[in-house]
Amino acid sequence: MASVLTSEPSLVYSRRVVEARVHKYHWPAVQLNIWMLIMLISACTIIGVFASFIDIQHTLLLPIPWYFPYYITVASLAVFFILLLLYLIYQRRLLPSIVMIGGFILFVLWLTGLIVISVQLWGPDGSVSSECNLQVFGASPMPKGQTLETLAWLEQRSICQSWQAVFAFGLVGGVFLLWIMVIAYQVFADDAV
């Protein structure tokens, strides 16, 4: 092929460098750290208590209620969400929309588990609380000494107190999930000004 020479000047293209502007939000560090700590404590308590209950049910050859693995799964999702937030904070990419959507989804799942636990704890017939009040906390006289009866009573009391702890940490976790949505909205609103 022959090369063609033209008398027209050739066009020179130059590249322009476009800056990628990353929008950064200012999160309240202390509030976010307290939120993550309390949610980790709540989620890990629920995971531990219900894992123990599943082991007890399995040992006694009793069926495992659906809400034990359900709440373990929800609490595990909460731990995963917190780890995701930590990763995004480290990358400086934590967006309020991610926190609001994730917090809302977790809040709905968490609230479902809390309602089921409330019904089991204080439900109409044969609730955990009524059985605990009747057989454990209302035991008269309380067993003493180094006997199997005392050991059984202590285990029953531990199970009753574990149910109360699950409800308490479930309630705290629900309130804190609402709180993180409020914090995320405030971060978004403060940035818009």
Side-chain angles (χ1 to χ4, degrees), residues 8-87:
E8 296 177 20
S10 62
L11 296 174
V12 178
Y13 293 101
S14 63
R15 280 180 119 173
R16 282 193 273 172
V17 177
V18 179
E19 289 184 30
R21 185 174 174 220
V22 177
H23 193 81
K24 295 184 179 180
Y25 293 95
H26 302 288
W27 290 87
V30 174
Q31 290 179 1
L32 199 58
N33 287 333
I34 289 172
W35 180 85
M36 283 191 266
L37 178 67
I38 299 299
M39 281 306 296
L40 276 175
I41 291 170
S42 296
C44 291
T45 299
I46 289 171
I47 290 170
V49 168
F50 279 153
S52 173
F53 284 177
I54 286 176
D55 184 52
I56 290 170
Q57 295 285 107
H58 186 25
T59 302
L60 295 173
L61 301 176
L62 295 172
I64 297 170
W66 67 269
Y67 46 87
F68 288 176
Y70 172 81
Y71 223 166
I72 288 174
T73 305
V74 171
S76 299
L77 286 173
V79 170
F80 175 75
F81 181 65
I82 292 168
L83 293 175
L84 176 67
L85 292 183
L86 287 171
Y87 174 76

Side-chain angles (χ1 to χ4, degrees), residues 110-176:
W110 197 278
L111 188 62
T112 303
L114 185 61
I115 290 169
V116 171
I117 297 308
S118 300
V119 169
Q120 294 301 317
L121 195 54
W122 293 292
D125 294 327
S127 68
V128 173
S129 182
S130 65
E131 292 297 320
C132 286
N133 288 337
L134 181 66
Q135 297 179 14
V136 178
F137 301 124
S140 179
M142 286 188 204
K144 302 275 187 212
Q146 298 178 3
T147 64
L148 283 176
E149 183 181 330
T150 304
L151 186 61
W153 181 82
L154 289 172
E155 180 64 25
Q156 285 177 325
R157 187 180 72 172
S158 173
I159 290 171
C160 293
Q161 290 171 340
S162 294
W163 272 98
Q164 293 167 348
V166 164
F167 176 77
F169 280 105
L171 188 60
V172 167
V175 169
F176 270 66

